């Protein structure tokens, strides 16, 4: 029952029926879904762990609205992890990986907003996952996956702020795919960084620092340790 309520609320949030900043009142949700308040409370805790809602003392529970700072922080962390993954596994990013990513771009083009936002978020995760899995590093994959719950809030914020159409979203991902497929590691890593934080011109210095860090760490990682886990 808790899982059912969780999925219902998740779908409502991702489809835009519940908007960022909306307050979620337990008793109203319980009456609407015909479940106990305890069930709703447990589902809200699950949503909070995934980053979809935030609980504020003496105020209540609200659909997550990422601040600009939170959004940038999430983008930098994703960029750092994915750029590092690309750096240590670029030789293993072959035609099958690029095909998986290309298929995701075509799936994005078939989405319709706003109804398909939940599906769009899952496709976005499927698009990026091959880059991280190619690293063969279990811990890197786990770190990357731990941020997935907040991607929904990030996508919703982007769509809300930029008024993007689905073709814009597809083109945005296609640019990263082209960078990865370029055959040039520097272009590939730059493509990852631009995908997440390239529009923040005023933070170019930090952007460059991240690129330097990922380049140095990637080289060291390749020299000192090769993960034994095969890419999936």
């Amino acid at each position: 029952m808790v899982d059912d309520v969780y999925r219902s609320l998740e779908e409502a949030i991702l489809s835009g029926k519940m908007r960022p900043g909306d307050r979620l009142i337990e008793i109203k949700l319980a009456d609407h879904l015909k479940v106990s308040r305890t069930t709703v409370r447990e589902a809200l805790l699950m949503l909070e762990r995934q980053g979809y809602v935030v609980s504020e003392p003496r105020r209540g529970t609200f659909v997550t609205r990422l601040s600009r700072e939170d959004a940038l922080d999430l983008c930098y962390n994703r960029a750092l992890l994915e750029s590092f993954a690309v750096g240590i596994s670029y030789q293993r990013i072959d035609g099958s990986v690029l095909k998986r990513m290309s298929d995701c771009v075509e799936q994005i083009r078939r989405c319709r907003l706003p109804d398909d936002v939940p599906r769009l978020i899952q496709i976005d995760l499927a698009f990026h996952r091959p880059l991280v899995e190619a690293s063969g590093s279990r811990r890197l994959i786990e770190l990357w996956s731990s941020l997935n719950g907040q991607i929904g809030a990030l996508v919703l914020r982007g769509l809300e702020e930029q008024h993007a159409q689905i073709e814009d979203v597809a083109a945005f991902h296609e640019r990263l795919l082209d960078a990865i497929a370029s055959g040039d590691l520097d272009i590939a890593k730059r493509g990852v960084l631009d995908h997440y934080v390239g529009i923040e011109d005023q933070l170019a210095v930090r952007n460059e620092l991240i690129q330097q860090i990922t380049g140095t760490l990637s080289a060291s990682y390749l020299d000192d340790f090769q993960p034994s886990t095969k890419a999936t």
Side-chain angles (χ1 to χ4, degrees):
M1 184 66 72
V2 173
D3 289 341
D4 289 342
V5 173
Y6 169 85
R7 284 191 290 269
S8 294
L9 295 177
E10 179 188 42
E11 182 178 354
I13 291 170
L14 296 182
S15 66
K17 294 175 183 176
M18 293 178 176
R19 306 293 299 172
D22 284 354
R23 185 182 179 189
L24 304 180
I25 301 173
E26 286 181 10
I27 190 168
K28 290 185 176 181
L29 292 173
D31 289 343
H32 177 70
L33 297 170
K34 296 180 172 53
V35 296
S36 69
R37 291 183 65 179
T38 299
T39 299
V40 171
R41 190 175 301 119
E42 291 180 8
L44 290 176
L45 286 173
M46 292 171 63
L47 289 166
E48 186 170 13
R49 285 194 292 270
Q50 291 297 315
Y52 290 122
V53 304
V54 59
S55 179
E56 300 182 8
R58 295 183 295 278
R59 292 196 64 221
T61 301
F62 299 83
V63 178
T64 299
R65 179 186 292 279
L66 285 181
S67 67
R68 178 179 176 278
E69 291 74 17
D70 286 340
L72 278 174
D73 185 60
L74 177 57
C75 285
Y76 276 119
N77 278 277
R78 293 279 292 210
L80 185 61
L81 291 173
E82 289 184 27
S83 182
F84 178 66
V86 168
I88 65 174
S89 63
Y90 197 57
Q91 298 303 317
R92 293 193 294 275
I93 298 177
D94 56 15
S96 64
V97 172
L98 297 176
K99 177 66 163 55
R100 288 171 63 187
M101 296 176 70
S102 178
D103 288 346
C104 288
V105 174
E106 293 309 311
Q107 291 176 43
I108 289 173
R109 286 198 167 93
R110 292 196 290 271
C111 288
R112 295 292 178 267
L113 299 178
D115 292 344
D116 287 340
V117 169
R119 180 166 173 260
L120 175 62
I121 291 167
Q122 293 306 311
I123 297 171
D124 178 84
L125 292 173
F127 174 85
H128 289 272
R129 179 173 289 277
L131 295 179
V132 184
E133 289 182 338
S135 71
S137 170
R138 178 177 58 83
R139 293 192 184 278
L140 180 58
I141 296 169
E142 289 176 352
L143 281 171
W144 180 85
S145 298
S146 71
L147 300 175
N148 287 354
Q150 298 180 352
I151 293 301
L154 183 65
V155 170
L156 286 173
R157 186 181 191 277
L159 292 174
E160 185 179 66
E161 283 196 346
Q162 300 173 22
H163 307 290
Q165 301 301 311
I166 201 63
E167 186 53 41
D168 299 324
V169 180
F172 183 61
H173 286 78
E174 195 163 42
R175 284 195 293 273
L176 174 54
L177 175 59
D178 289 343
I180 298 297
S182 68
D184 186 310
L185 177 56
D186 288 337
I187 291 175
K189 290 197 296 183
R190 169 58 64 183
V192 173
L193 294 170
D194 287 346
H195 184 80
Y196 284 108
V197 295
I199 62 172
E200 301 296 336
D201 294 336
Q202 67 273 30
L203 295 175
V205 173
R206 189 176 175 188
N207 191 334
E208 290 296 331
L209 177 61
I210 288 178
Q211 187 178 40
Q212 291 173 22
I213 291 172
T214 56
T216 302
L217 288 178
S218 297
S220 175
Y221 189 93
L222 286 170
D223 289 340
D224 299 338
F225 175 72
Q226 283 292 343
S228 59
T229 305
K230 293 182 179 179
T232 55

